[in-house]
Amino acid sequence: MAQGGSLYASDWALVFPAVAYPNKLHFKLNGGGTVASPFDATHLMGYAPQTLKADITSQALATFVGKSTIDVAFPHQGGANSLHWGLFDGIDAAGDVLIQAPTAKLCAVSSTSCSSAGASITHVPLAVTFKLGPAGGRGGNLVYTSFHNIAQPSDDVSLVLKYIVLHL
């Protein structure tokens, strides 16, 4: 990717950018540790169901979508581990936040099944991007979105995903 390739990952696929670029993305994990498997979400701390009113912090993205706030749903779909989602604990200073929620609920810390909501946190990035490669060089992009690529309350998330694909 330093030579121009790009990587987009979302939701439980956070393991791929987290392993490839461990210093770029930092996730809030139950019990600490590192992201090891996209198929074991018990360590993820984002609680569902919840719908977040999120601010589009990128002016170019807001222009593309036609608004500065969107609703992003994290539904409960049933099944094992379906409640968890990848909640940021922070990102490297070189990254840009595209979408941020003022608040979001965590899973209760004692619950690896995430069957109950815990505390709320503030300033929660939901979509971030990084330009990769040497300064002034032809690097690619790393983009991660916390939200699921499933049905949402409106077409707003679909527009966000179109923007991301067109700007990788």
Side-chain angles (χ1 to χ4, degrees):
M1 291 192 313
Q3 300 300 315
S6 294
L7 172 66
Y8 166 66
S10 69
D11 195 16
W12 290 2
L14 63 92
V15 69
F16 301 109
V19 169
Y21 295 94
N23 297 323
K24 300 280 186 205
L25 306 170
H26 311 283
F27 294 95
K28 192 167 278 300
L29 301 175
N30 195 357
T34 60
V35 178
S37 168
F39 307 109
D40 176 14
T42 59
H43 55 280
L44 303 180
M45 292 294 293
Y47 178 76
Q50 67 178 310
T51 298
L52 305 176
K53 181 154 299 286
D55 300 316
I56 299 176
T57 56
S58 160
Q59 185 58 51
L61 177 56
T63 299
F64 186 85
V65 174
K67 55 178 78 172
S68 61
T69 62
I70 60 172
D71 290 332
V72 179
F74 293 92
H76 177 280
Q77 295 180 300
N81 300 330
S82 66
L83 299 173
H84 307 269
W85 53 276
L87 184 75
F88 283 106
D89 198 21
I91 65 168
D92 181 84
D96 292 315
V97 176
L98 300 174
I99 301 172
Q100 179 172 284
T103 63
K105 292 179 190 173
L106 297 170
C107 293
V109 174
S110 62
S111 173
T112 57
S113 67
C114 196
S115 58
S116 60
S120 291
I121 61 170
T122 60
H123 309 293
V124 181
L126 298 179
V128 299
T129 186
F130 294 89
K131 188 72 174 167
L132 302 173
R138 294 188 52 191
N141 298 293
L142 167 61
V143 181
Y144 177 79
T145 59
S146 290
F147 42 84
H148 308 308
N149 291 326
I150 59 170
Q152 292 284 326
S154 71
D155 291 333
D156 296 340
V157 170
S158 293
L159 289 171
V160 168
L161 295 175
K162 286 178 187 175
Y163 176 88
I164 288 170
V165 169
L166 293 172
H167 291 87
L168 280 176

